Amino acid sequence: MTTRTARRKLVFGYLRLSKEEALRGESSSISTQRQMIANFCEQNGFTLIKTFSDDGWSGGNFDRPGFRAMIEELSQGKANTVITKDLSRLGRNMRDASYYAEEYFPENNIHFFTLSDHFDTEQENIMAPFQFALNEVYLRDGSRKVKEALKIRRNSGQYCACPPYGYRKDEHQKNHLVPDETTGPVVQRIFAQAAKGDSSRKIAMDLNEDGVIPPLKYRVLYRDEFCDRGAARMSDTWNQTTVKRILKNRVYLGHTILGKSKKVSVKSHKKVPVPKDKWAVTENTHEALVSEEVYDKAQKFLGTASRDYRAYDHVRKSIFSGVAVCGRCGHALCSCGTVYKGKRDEYWFLSCTHQRQDIVNRCDGVRIRYADLLELVRRELNELIALSDEQRQGIVDALMAQETSDETINGRKRRLDQAQARQITIDRMIGKLYMDNANGDLSDDRLHRMVGELEAESQQLEELIAELELPVETERIQKNYDQFFRLVQQYTSIEELDRETLTTFVERIEVGPKIIPEGKRKVTHRNQPFQQKVKIFYKFIGELNQKSVRNFPQVQQDQKPEPQQAVSM
């Protein structure tokens, strides 16, 4: 590298090392980087004014405290030169690293250069696009390896996350939870009060009155290391939201539950929730703080102190609230209807609210008569109750035979091979897109849009691959069905379906649009038979009846036009 001496070099040194690089035993430690820059400045007559460091920060984005502080002081004219060990220390995000190295520094008359890979803003950097691209490939590959390692640990039941309130990490086994002697009894107290019927608000008030330190403040004071910004978020008091979060967490039953959220992308710190059926759940991995009985009682009373509009006589009291959802968009169905000739229940419907004219792909026709759904579920539950022990075991045997058949296994393998092949193709496509962008053949906007779409598809493929790689567990299938049929055996017949019975057996009901008979434009009244897809998903076992298209018989009632939807609270 050729250095110019036309002006005095007032140098800021910038140092960065991610946690992942430190764990891999990288030779570019913060102290090593600092020494390299100091030696270079001394040997070349440069004045090293200050070094800024971000120890434990990823190069995926540039919102780092040390880097932001350096930019602020550069804007004040305190230095005219920036030195890093190599380009990857500046950052691994191709777009932002290129912006600072090739636009921001030159435009602000700041000389930037690296010591190891010879990038210099005062020279031609022909290989720079490839250097930026390779640094981002390293970032993505590192992210992939971390995800794979976490997935292996999660699947083996290791708690590879911050221990929840009430637990701490075992001193002799890093990723194993043991009860915290200080906070464990507080968790047990919370569940005990909830099981007796105390509201979350009352529990929080009692804890505050007794001077119990809330979770975040306990972590800041006694357990974890927090930066000043993180510590500033702690509160001195409990609130009902914190209590509810503890009461809903099944980790206190001794189960490891991870993967509830994920990063939007490798370059972002923003996290989004993951669907419940995609969580990594491993049962009985550590000592439980509460029993199943206490936990279930606490859930039963959770939220019962909130205002209940169902207490009013004029409100239609649907037992399907939170259970019946639209089979197209997944939103909950709400009660709607009208009153005709004094008859209220006959004109009571459950309908998807996404049917307005201004909604794209609205859920037209996703609407079912409340009494029809009530009778359908009651009838099918009674059919399950009437099964003999031999018939119940026959259902389980048939399912396990299907799951372990050569056809099913080969089908899963084909889907796995296709998903893995597509994943490889996507990686190649993303690499080519970055090269096209570096060569000027693809704009930044199109690059970000196309890469974003491919990364979203890649994330879906990762989830599918993880699901297909799991072995078929016949023991779990048998256990789940045993649990379900134990519930069934508690009943002899269901004469009238109520909320408690429904939620005992049913997890979710998906209602699809009406299937109009051929030659008809619309089902205008109940005298005309029609079909409708209704899927019932039971606790523990999921959908049992695969024939989800139901025939709705004619029901004699006063004929009138389809009533207008009038949503009732």
Side-chain angles (χ1 to χ4, degrees):
M1 183 193 71
T2 302
T3 60
R4 300 180 181 179
T5 57
R7 60 174 179 167
R8 185 183 177 191
K9 296 294 184 181
L10 305 177
V11 177
F12 280 166
Y14 179 69
L15 330 166
R16 185 191 63 79
L17 187 71
S18 70
K19 292 180 181 178
E20 291 78 11
E21 290 169 327
L23 290 174
R24 297 189 196 112
E26 296 281 343
S27 59
S28 302
S29 67
I30 292 294
S31 59
T32 300
Q33 295 175 51
R34 180 180 286 107
Q35 191 61 51
M36 287 180 65
I37 294 173
N39 290 344
F40 179 87
C41 291
E42 183 179 353
Q43 294 168 6
N44 290 272
F46 293 175
T47 302
L48 179 59
I49 298 175
K50 190 175 182 179
T51 58
F52 299 83
S53 68
D54 287 311
D55 195 358
W57 287 80
S58 168
N61 70 73
F62 280 70
D63 189 19
R64 313 177 213 125
F67 184 80
R68 302 313 309 176
M70 181 182 72
I71 294 298
E72 175 64 25
E73 294 198 22
L74 284 171
S75 68
Q76 299 171 8
K78 295 182 179 181
N80 55 31
T81 306
V82 173
I83 302 177
T84 63
K85 174 182 175 292
D86 53 48
L87 270 179
S88 68
R89 298 308 96 200
L90 181 67
R92 295 189 183 277
N93 183 319
M94 176 180 177
R95 179 189 61 188
D96 292 339
S98 175
Y99 164 73
Y100 280 104
E102 299 188 301
E103 293 183 43
Y104 180 84
F105 290 143
E107 289 175 1
N108 288 276
N109 199 28
I110 298 168
H111 182 197
F112 167 69
F113 61 90
T114 66
L115 301 182
S116 298
D117 47 15
H118 310 301
F119 180 92
D120 191 336
T121 56
E122 294 185 349
Q123 295 182 2
E124 292 292 334
N125 298 288
I126 298 175
M127 298 300 295
F130 299 100
Q131 290 174 292
F132 293 130
L134 287 173
N135 284 332
E136 179 149 323
V137 169
Y138 182 94
L139 173 69
R140 294 175 180 276
D141 185 56
S143 175
R144 177 184 60 81
K145 289 177 179 177
V146 169
K147 288 180 181 178
E148 289 178 351
L150 284 176
K151 184 172 74 172
I152 293 172
R153 293 175 186 171
R154 286 173 178 174
N155 292 340
S156 63
Q158 297 183 47
Y159 203 94
C160 43
C162 178
Y165 183 77
Y167 286 103
R168 60 177 175 81
K169 290 292 184 73
D170 191 337
E171 297 175 357
H172 307 292
Q173 194 174 347
K174 180 181 178 182
N175 291 319
H176 181 253
L177 294 180
V178 294
D180 187 297
E181 296 80 0
T182 303
T183 58
V186 179
V187 171
Q188 293 171 330
R189 167 184 172 173
I190 291 171
F191 274 94
Q193 284 192 240
K196 290 190 300 182
D198 288 352
S199 68
S200 301
R201 184 184 297 275
K202 182 181 185 308
I203 295 172
M205 291 174 62
D206 289 347
L207 292 169
N208 289 327
E209 186 176 341
D210 293 343
V212 178
I213 299 176
L216 183 56
K217 185 173 182 179
Y218 179 81
R219 289 179 57 193
V220 172
L221 295 179
Y222 301 110
R223 203 185 73 182
D224 302 328
E225 293 184 5
F226 277 78
C227 63
D228 292 339
R229 185 173 62 178
R233 293 170 39 236
M234 71 177 182
S235 171
D236 292 328
T237 59
W238 287 80
N239 59 63
Q240 60 180 350
T241 301
T242 302
V243 173
K244 285 182 179 179
R245 188 179 297 119
I246 290 174
L247 291 173
K248 291 179 180 179
N249 197 340
R250 294 181 61 83
V251 72
Y252 300 113
L253 290 170
H255 309 323
T256 293
I257 305 172
L258 298 171
K260 294 182 180 180
S261 63
K262 64 180 181 181
K263 285 186 177 181
V264 175
S265 71
V266 68
K267 299 181 183 180
S268 174
H269 285 303
K270 182 180 178 181
K271 291 188 176 182
V272 294
V274 172
K276 191 173 181 179
D277 58 349
K278 301 295 184 183
W279 294 355
V281 181
T282 310
E283 296 184 348
N284 305 318
T285 55
H286 52 270
E287 182 180 341
L289 286 177
V290 297
S291 66
E292 287 274 2
E293 181 182 3
V294 172
Y295 182 89
D296 290 341
K297 285 182 179 179
Q299 305 312 300
K300 180 180 178 181
F301 290 112
L302 191 61
T304 54
S306 60
R307 187 176 182 184
D308 189 2
Y309 289 95
R310 290 153 51 89
Y312 298 99
D313 292 337
H314 67 277
V315 175
R316 291 182 167 100
K317 301 172 179 62
S318 170
I319 68 171
F320 296 103
S321 175
V323 176
V325 300
C326 175
R328 290 188 59 186
C329 70
H331 285 80
L333 301 185
C334 72
S335 290
C336 64
T338 188
V339 179
Y340 182 67
K341 292 185 178 181
K343 296 180 179 180
R344 185 179 183 83
D345 289 347
E346 292 185 16
Y347 301 102
W348 179 3
F349 297 87
L350 296 178
S351 176
C352 180
T353 57
H354 284 216
Q355 297 193 47
R356 299 196 318 269
Q357 296 292 335
D358 60 334
I359 296 178
V360 179
N361 296 324
R362 62 195 185 99
C363 301
D364 191 23
V366 181
R367 171 185 173 101
I368 190 168
R369 189 167 175 262
Y370 182 83
D372 286 345
L373 183 59
L374 199 69
E375 177 60 21
L376 171 65
V377 177
R378 189 192 71 84
R379 186 174 65 244
E380 294 208 359
L381 285 176
N382 278 328
E383 290 175 358
L384 290 172
I385 292 170
L387 292 174
S388 66
D389 292 341
E390 292 77 11
Q391 289 172 319
R392 293 168 185 165
Q393 188 57 49
I395 292 174
V396 179
D397 293 342
L399 176 63
M400 288 197 289
Q402 178 183 343
E403 290 293 321
T404 57
S405 67
D406 291 341
E407 181 179 356
T408 301
I409 292 173
N410 291 335
R412 287 172 63 91
K413 187 177 184 305
R414 282 195 301 273
R415 292 176 64 198
L416 178 61
D417 291 341
Q418 291 170 355
Q420 290 174 334
R422 176 60 179 168
Q423 191 75 287
I424 293 172
T425 301
I426 288 176
D427 290 342
R428 291 173 178 170
M429 292 172 66
I430 290 176
K432 186 177 185 304
L433 288 173
Y434 276 107
M435 289 300 181
D436 290 344
N437 176 259
N439 293 330
D441 299 329
L442 185 68
S443 68
D444 288 346
D445 289 341
R446 291 195 65 189
L447 171 71
H448 300 148
R449 178 176 57 81
M450 295 173 73
V451 170
E453 292 173 354
L454 289 171
E455 285 181 339
E457 182 184 354
S458 177
Q459 181 62 43
Q460 294 176 351
L461 287 171
E462 284 183 11
E463 295 172 357
L464 176 60
I465 290 170
E467 179 182 340
L468 293 174
E469 286 179 338
L470 292 175
V472 177
E473 299 181 14
T474 55
E475 291 184 4
R476 180 175 291 275
I477 293 174
Q478 181 71 60
K479 177 184 176 182
N480 289 341
Y481 273 82
D482 287 345
Q483 286 181 285
F484 178 74
F485 284 125
R486 274 198 296 271
L487 294 176
V488 170
Q489 289 174 336
Q490 298 176 14
Y491 292 77
T492 55
S493 178
I494 299 174
E495 299 300 326
E496 182 177 349
L497 185 63
D498 56 24
R499 173 73 177 182
E500 182 178 356
T501 305
L502 173 73
T503 54
T504 296
F505 289 103
V506 178
E507 189 79 40
R508 186 176 80 260
I509 300 173
E510 294 181 0
V511 178
K514 293 178 179 178
I515 302 173
I516 309 299
E518 187 175 354
K520 300 289 183 180
R521 294 181 60 190
K522 185 178 181 181
V523 177
T524 56
H525 54 76
R526 289 289 301 149
N527 285 338
Q528 180 174 302
F530 63 94
Q531 291 183 322
Q532 192 162 14
K533 181 174 288 188
V534 180
K535 293 184 176 182
I536 302 175
F537 296 86
Y538 296 99
K539 295 285 182 68
F540 306 117
I541 63 175
E543 188 181 11
L544 186 58
N545 186 353
Q546 298 299 321
K547 296 180 180 179
S548 56
V549 177
R550 323 284 181 160
N551 293 303
F552 288 90
Q554 296 184 21
V555 177
Q556 295 296 328
Q557 67 175 52
D558 295 327
Q559 294 186 17
K560 68 180 291 294
E562 183 86 353
Q564 295 182 351
Q565 296 186 23
V567 177
S568 298
M569 295 298 293

PDB file of all heavy atoms in Angstrom, residues 62-86:
ATOM      1  N   PHE A  62     -24.946  -2.306  10.888  1.00  0.00           N
ATOM      2  CA  PHE A  62     -24.023  -1.255  11.316  1.00  0.00           C
ATOM      3  C   PHE A  62     -24.561  -0.432  12.490  1.00  0.00           C
ATOM      4  O   PHE A  62     -24.053   0.648  12.768  1.00  0.00           O
ATOM      5  CB  PHE A  62     -23.692  -0.346  10.129  1.00  0.00           C
ATOM      6  CG  PHE A  62     -22.649  -0.938   9.212  1.00  0.00           C
ATOM      7  CD1 PHE A  62     -22.949  -2.032   8.414  1.00  0.00           C
ATOM      8  CD2 PHE A  62     -21.357  -0.436   9.173  1.00  0.00           C
ATOM      9  CE1 PHE A  62     -22.005  -2.594   7.579  1.00  0.00           C
ATOM     10  CE2 PHE A  62     -20.396  -0.995   8.340  1.00  0.00           C
ATOM     11  CZ  PHE A  62     -20.714  -2.076   7.540  1.00  0.00           C
ATOM     12  N   ASP A  63     -25.557  -0.946  13.165  1.00  0.00           N
ATOM     13  CA  ASP A  63     -26.081  -0.254  14.342  1.00  0.00           C
ATOM     14  C   ASP A  63     -25.335  -0.734  15.580  1.00  0.00           C
ATOM     15  O   ASP A  63     -25.891  -1.348  16.480  1.00  0.00           O
ATOM     16  CB  ASP A  63     -27.587  -0.530  14.476  1.00  0.00           C
ATOM     17  CG  ASP A  63     -28.215   0.330  15.555  1.00  0.00           C
ATOM     18  OD1 ASP A  63     -27.602   1.346  15.924  1.00  0.00           O
ATOM     19  OD2 ASP A  63     -29.313  -0.031  16.034  1.00  0.00           O
ATOM     20  N   ARG A  64     -24.016  -0.425  15.609  1.00  0.00           N
ATOM     21  CA  ARG A  64     -23.150  -0.849  16.717  1.00  0.00           C
ATOM     22  C   ARG A  64     -22.696   0.400  17.463  1.00  0.00           C
ATOM     23  O   ARG A  64     -22.384   1.422  16.836  1.00  0.00           O
ATOM     24  CB  ARG A  64     -21.923  -1.592  16.193  1.00  0.00           C
ATOM     25  CG  ARG A  64     -22.234  -2.650  15.155  1.00  0.00           C
ATOM     26  CD  ARG A  64     -20.951  -3.307  14.629  1.00  0.00           C
ATOM     27  NE  ARG A  64     -21.109  -3.676  13.230  1.00  0.00           N
ATOM     28  CZ  ARG A  64     -20.304  -3.293  12.250  1.00  0.00           C
ATOM     29  NH1 ARG A  64     -19.245  -2.528  12.532  1.00  0.00           N
ATOM     30  NH2 ARG A  64     -20.526  -3.672  11.017  1.00  0.00           N
ATOM     31  N   PRO A  65     -22.618   0.332  18.785  1.00  0.00           N
ATOM     32  CA  PRO A  65     -22.292   1.541  19.566  1.00  0.00           C
ATOM     33  C   PRO A  65     -20.924   2.121  19.240  1.00  0.00           C
ATOM     34  O   PRO A  65     -20.763   3.337  19.112  1.00  0.00           O
ATOM     35  CB  PRO A  65     -22.380   1.063  21.017  1.00  0.00           C
ATOM     36  CG  PRO A  65     -22.298  -0.431  20.963  1.00  0.00           C
ATOM     37  CD  PRO A  65     -22.907  -0.823  19.659  1.00  0.00           C
ATOM     38  N   GLY A  66     -19.913   1.251  19.112  1.00  0.00           N
ATOM     39  CA  GLY A  66     -18.572   1.751  18.813  1.00  0.00           C
ATOM     40  C   GLY A  66     -18.500   2.398  17.447  1.00  0.00           C
ATOM     41  O   GLY A  66     -17.901   3.473  17.273  1.00  0.00           O
ATOM     42  N   PHE A  67     -19.116   1.772  16.451  1.00  0.00           N
ATOM     43  CA  PHE A  67     -19.088   2.304  15.092  1.00  0.00           C
ATOM     44  C   PHE A  67     -19.841   3.620  15.018  1.00  0.00           C
ATOM     45  O   PHE A  67     -19.380   4.591  14.407  1.00  0.00           O
ATOM     46  CB  PHE A  67     -19.688   1.288  14.122  1.00  0.00           C
ATOM     47  CG  PHE A  67     -19.611   1.719  12.683  1.00  0.00           C
ATOM     48  CD1 PHE A  67     -18.444   1.581  11.960  1.00  0.00           C
ATOM     49  CD2 PHE A  67     -20.715   2.298  12.070  1.00  0.00           C
ATOM     50  CE1 PHE A  67     -18.369   1.997  10.639  1.00  0.00           C
ATOM     51  CE2 PHE A  67     -20.657   2.715  10.748  1.00  0.00           C
ATOM     52  CZ  PHE A  67     -19.479   2.564  10.030  1.00  0.00           C
ATOM     53  N   ARG A  68     -21.038   3.684  15.660  1.00  0.00           N
ATOM     54  CA  ARG A  68     -21.823   4.914  15.610  1.00  0.00           C
ATOM     55  C   ARG A  68     -21.076   6.068  16.299  1.00  0.00           C
ATOM     56  O   ARG A  68     -21.113   7.212  15.847  1.00  0.00           O
ATOM     57  CB  ARG A  68     -23.187   4.717  16.280  1.00  0.00           C
ATOM     58  CG  ARG A  68     -24.069   3.629  15.708  1.00  0.00           C
ATOM     59  CD  ARG A  68     -24.180   3.639  14.216  1.00  0.00           C
ATOM     60  NE  ARG A  68     -24.523   4.931  13.655  1.00  0.00           N
ATOM     61  CZ  ARG A  68     -24.595   5.176  12.359  1.00  0.00           C
ATOM     62  NH1 ARG A  68     -24.300   4.211  11.490  1.00  0.00           N
ATOM     63  NH2 ARG A  68     -24.928   6.376  11.925  1.00  0.00           N
ATOM     64  N   ALA A  69     -20.372   5.757  17.400  1.00  0.00           N
ATOM     65  CA  ALA A  69     -19.605   6.788  18.105  1.00  0.00           C
ATOM     66  C   ALA A  69     -18.469   7.304  17.223  1.00  0.00           C
ATOM     67  O   ALA A  69     -18.165   8.514  17.205  1.00  0.00           O
ATOM     68  CB  ALA A  69     -19.053   6.230  19.414  1.00  0.00           C
ATOM     69  N   MET A  70     -17.825   6.400  16.458  1.00  0.00           N
ATOM     70  CA  MET A  70     -16.744   6.810  15.569  1.00  0.00           C
ATOM     71  C   MET A  70     -17.270   7.723  14.465  1.00  0.00           C
ATOM     72  O   MET A  70     -16.658   8.770  14.161  1.00  0.00           O
ATOM     73  CB  MET A  70     -16.075   5.581  14.957  1.00  0.00           C
ATOM     74  CG  MET A  70     -14.914   5.933  14.023  1.00  0.00           C
ATOM     75  SD  MET A  70     -14.153   4.499  13.238  1.00  0.00           S
ATOM     76  CE  MET A  70     -15.444   4.045  12.062  1.00  0.00           C
ATOM     77  N   ILE A  71     -18.401   7.370  13.867  1.00  0.00           N
ATOM     78  CA  ILE A  71     -18.981   8.196  12.806  1.00  0.00           C
ATOM     79  C   ILE A  71     -19.325   9.580  13.339  1.00  0.00           C
ATOM     80  O   ILE A  71     -19.111  10.601  12.669  1.00  0.00           O
ATOM     81  CB  ILE A  71     -20.228   7.505  12.215  1.00  0.00           C
ATOM     82  CG1 ILE A  71     -19.827   6.199  11.498  1.00  0.00           C
ATOM     83  CG2 ILE A  71     -20.959   8.427  11.258  1.00  0.00           C
ATOM     84  CD1 ILE A  71     -18.902   6.393  10.322  1.00  0.00           C
ATOM     85  N   GLU A  72     -19.851   9.637  14.575  1.00  0.00           N
ATOM     86  CA  GLU A  72     -20.205  10.915  15.171  1.00  0.00           C
ATOM     87  C   GLU A  72     -18.973  11.796  15.336  1.00  0.00           C
ATOM     88  O   GLU A  72     -19.011  13.003  15.010  1.00  0.00           O
ATOM     89  CB  GLU A  72     -20.879  10.675  16.535  1.00  0.00           C
ATOM     90  CG  GLU A  72     -21.199  11.930  17.317  1.00  0.00           C
ATOM     91  CD  GLU A  72     -22.216  12.812  16.634  1.00  0.00           C
ATOM     92  OE1 GLU A  72     -23.023  12.285  15.818  1.00  0.00           O
ATOM     93  OE2 GLU A  72     -22.211  14.040  16.891  1.00  0.00           O
ATOM     94  N   GLU A  73     -17.873  11.228  15.801  1.00  0.00           N
ATOM     95  CA  GLU A  73     -16.664  12.040  16.006  1.00  0.00           C
ATOM     96  C   GLU A  73     -15.989  12.377  14.680  1.00  0.00           C
ATOM     97  O   GLU A  73     -15.341  13.421  14.561  1.00  0.00           O
ATOM     98  CB  GLU A  73     -15.698  11.309  16.942  1.00  0.00           C
ATOM     99  CG  GLU A  73     -16.261  11.151  18.357  1.00  0.00           C
ATOM    100  CD  GLU A  73     -15.187  10.832  19.387  1.00  0.00           C
ATOM    101  OE1 GLU A  73     -14.003  11.124  19.123  1.00  0.00           O
ATOM    102  OE2 GLU A  73     -15.533  10.289  20.455  1.00  0.00           O
ATOM    103  N   LEU A  74     -16.130  11.523  13.683  1.00  0.00           N
ATOM    104  CA  LEU A  74     -15.616  11.863  12.357  1.00  0.00           C
ATOM    105  C   LEU A  74     -16.358  13.059  11.780  1.00  0.00           C
ATOM    106  O   LEU A  74     -15.766  13.921  11.127  1.00  0.00           O
ATOM    107  CB  LEU A  74     -15.761  10.661  11.410  1.00  0.00           C
ATOM    108  CG  LEU A  74     -14.762   9.516  11.590  1.00  0.00           C
ATOM    109  CD1 LEU A  74     -15.164   8.322  10.731  1.00  0.00           C
ATOM    110  CD2 LEU A  74     -13.339   9.963  11.219  1.00  0.00           C
ATOM    111  N   SER A  75     -17.680  13.110  12.022  1.00  0.00           N
ATOM    112  CA  SER A  75     -18.469  14.241  11.513  1.00  0.00           C
ATOM    113  C   SER A  75     -18.065  15.551  12.173  1.00  0.00           C
ATOM    114  O   SER A  75     -18.329  16.621  11.624  1.00  0.00           O
ATOM    115  CB  SER A  75     -19.960  13.973  11.739  1.00  0.00           C
ATOM    116  OG  SER A  75     -20.275  13.989  13.125  1.00  0.00           O
ATOM    117  N   GLN A  76     -17.439  15.455  13.335  1.00  0.00           N
ATOM    118  CA  GLN A  76     -16.963  16.648  14.039  1.00  0.00           C
ATOM    119  C   GLN A  76     -15.541  17.037  13.622  1.00  0.00           C
ATOM    120  O   GLN A  76     -14.960  17.973  14.159  1.00  0.00           O
ATOM    121  CB  GLN A  76     -17.017  16.418  15.548  1.00  0.00           C
ATOM    122  CG  GLN A  76     -18.421  16.148  16.075  1.00  0.00           C
ATOM    123  CD  GLN A  76     -18.423  15.700  17.529  1.00  0.00           C
ATOM    124  OE1 GLN A  76     -17.394  15.732  18.205  1.00  0.00           O
ATOM    125  NE2 GLN A  76     -19.578  15.263  18.023  1.00  0.00           N
ATOM    126  N   GLY A  77     -14.948  16.268  12.684  1.00  0.00           N
ATOM    127  CA  GLY A  77     -13.625  16.600  12.169  1.00  0.00           C
ATOM    128  C   GLY A  77     -12.475  16.233  13.084  1.00  0.00           C
ATOM    129  O   GLY A  77     -11.384  16.807  12.967  1.00  0.00           O
ATOM    130  N   LYS A  78     -12.665  15.292  14.001  1.00  0.00           N
ATOM    131  CA  LYS A  78     -11.618  14.953  14.964  1.00  0.00           C
ATOM    132  C   LYS A  78     -10.544  14.045  14.365  1.00  0.00           C
ATOM    133  O   LYS A  78      -9.500  13.837  14.976  1.00  0.00           O
ATOM    134  CB  LYS A  78     -12.235  14.291  16.196  1.00  0.00           C
ATOM    135  CG  LYS A  78     -13.145  15.215  16.995  1.00  0.00           C
ATOM    136  CD  LYS A  78     -13.691  14.539  18.238  1.00  0.00           C
ATOM    137  CE  LYS A  78     -14.572  15.482  19.040  1.00  0.00           C
ATOM    138  NZ  LYS A  78     -15.103  14.830  20.280  1.00  0.00           N
ATOM    139  N   ALA A  79     -10.802  13.450  13.205  1.00  0.00           N
ATOM    140  CA  ALA A  79      -9.803  12.606  12.525  1.00  0.00           C
ATOM    141  C   ALA A  79     -10.088  12.636  11.037  1.00  0.00           C
ATOM    142  O   ALA A  79     -11.197  12.976  10.605  1.00  0.00           O
ATOM    143  CB  ALA A  79      -9.858  11.174  13.064  1.00  0.00           C
ATOM    144  N   ASN A  80      -9.045  12.304  10.251  1.00  0.00           N
ATOM    145  CA  ASN A  80      -9.234  12.271   8.804  1.00  0.00           C
ATOM    146  C   ASN A  80      -8.872  10.921   8.202  1.00  0.00           C
ATOM    147  O   ASN A  80      -8.821  10.780   6.986  1.00  0.00           O
ATOM    148  CB  ASN A  80      -8.423  13.385   8.127  1.00  0.00           C
ATOM    149  CG  ASN A  80      -6.946  13.317   8.497  1.00  0.00           C
ATOM    150  OD1 ASN A  80      -6.398  12.241   8.749  1.00  0.00           O
ATOM    151  ND2 ASN A  80      -6.284  14.481   8.545  1.00  0.00           N
ATOM    152  N   THR A  81      -8.612   9.937   9.063  1.00  0.00           N
ATOM    153  CA  THR A  81      -8.205   8.609   8.594  1.00  0.00           C
ATOM    154  C   THR A  81      -8.835   7.537   9.480  1.00  0.00           C
ATOM    155  O   THR A  81      -8.907   7.701  10.699  1.00  0.00           O
ATOM    156  CB  THR A  81      -6.674   8.451   8.621  1.00  0.00           C
ATOM    157  OG1 THR A  81      -6.075   9.515   7.878  1.00  0.00           O
ATOM    158  CG2 THR A  81      -6.256   7.115   8.037  1.00  0.00           C
ATOM    159  N   VAL A  82      -9.286   6.452   8.843  1.00  0.00           N
ATOM    160  CA  VAL A  82      -9.828   5.298   9.569  1.00  0.00           C
ATOM    161  C   VAL A  82      -9.075   4.055   9.100  1.00  0.00           C
ATOM    162  O   VAL A  82      -8.907   3.842   7.894  1.00  0.00           O
ATOM    163  CB  VAL A  82     -11.339   5.119   9.339  1.00  0.00           C
ATOM    164  CG1 VAL A  82     -11.838   3.821   9.976  1.00  0.00           C
ATOM    165  CG2 VAL A  82     -12.104   6.308   9.895  1.00  0.00           C
ATOM    166  N   ILE A  83      -8.642   3.247  10.055  1.00  0.00           N
ATOM    167  CA  ILE A  83      -7.919   2.014   9.723  1.00  0.00           C
ATOM    168  C   ILE A  83      -8.618   0.835  10.406  1.00  0.00           C
ATOM    169  O   ILE A  83      -8.985   0.913  11.582  1.00  0.00           O
ATOM    170  CB  ILE A  83      -6.450   2.077  10.200  1.00  0.00           C
ATOM    171  CG1 ILE A  83      -5.722   3.273   9.577  1.00  0.00           C
ATOM    172  CG2 ILE A  83      -5.718   0.782   9.857  1.00  0.00           C
ATOM    173  CD1 ILE A  83      -4.287   3.430  10.082  1.00  0.00           C
ATOM    174  N   THR A  84      -8.793  -0.241   9.659  1.00  0.00           N
ATOM    175  CA  THR A  84      -9.251  -1.512  10.238  1.00  0.00           C
ATOM    176  C   THR A  84      -8.280  -2.604   9.812  1.00  0.00           C
ATOM    177  O   THR A  84      -7.508  -2.428   8.865  1.00  0.00           O
ATOM    178  CB  THR A  84     -10.667  -1.891   9.766  1.00  0.00           C
ATOM    179  OG1 THR A  84     -10.658  -2.093   8.344  1.00  0.00           O
ATOM    180  CG2 THR A  84     -11.672  -0.810  10.109  1.00  0.00           C
ATOM    181  N   LYS A  85      -8.321  -3.710  10.511  1.00  0.00           N
ATOM    182  CA  LYS A  85      -7.444  -4.826  10.154  1.00  0.00           C
ATOM    183  C   LYS A  85      -7.745  -5.325   8.739  1.00  0.00           C
ATOM    184  O   LYS A  85      -6.852  -5.549   7.939  1.00  0.00           O
ATOM    185  CB  LYS A  85      -7.608  -5.967  11.157  1.00  0.00           C
ATOM    186  CG  LYS A  85      -6.829  -7.234  10.791  1.00  0.00           C
ATOM    187  CD  LYS A  85      -7.084  -8.333  11.802  1.00  0.00           C
ATOM    188  CE  LYS A  85      -6.398  -9.635  11.361  1.00  0.00           C
ATOM    189  NZ  LYS A  85      -7.024 -10.206  10.144  1.00  0.00           N
ATOM    190  N   ASP A  86      -9.055  -5.531   8.459  1.00  0.00           N
ATOM    191  CA  ASP A  86      -9.468  -5.941   7.111  1.00  0.00           C
ATOM    192  C   ASP A  86     -10.883  -5.449   6.876  1.00  0.00           C
ATOM    193  O   ASP A  86     -11.533  -4.881   7.770  1.00  0.00           O
ATOM    194  CB  ASP A  86      -9.358  -7.460   6.918  1.00  0.00           C
ATOM    195  CG  ASP A  86     -10.093  -8.239   7.984  1.00  0.00           C
ATOM    196  OD1 ASP A  86     -11.258  -7.897   8.262  1.00  0.00           O
ATOM    197  OD2 ASP A  86      -9.510  -9.188   8.556  1.00  0.00           O
TER     198      ASP A  86
END
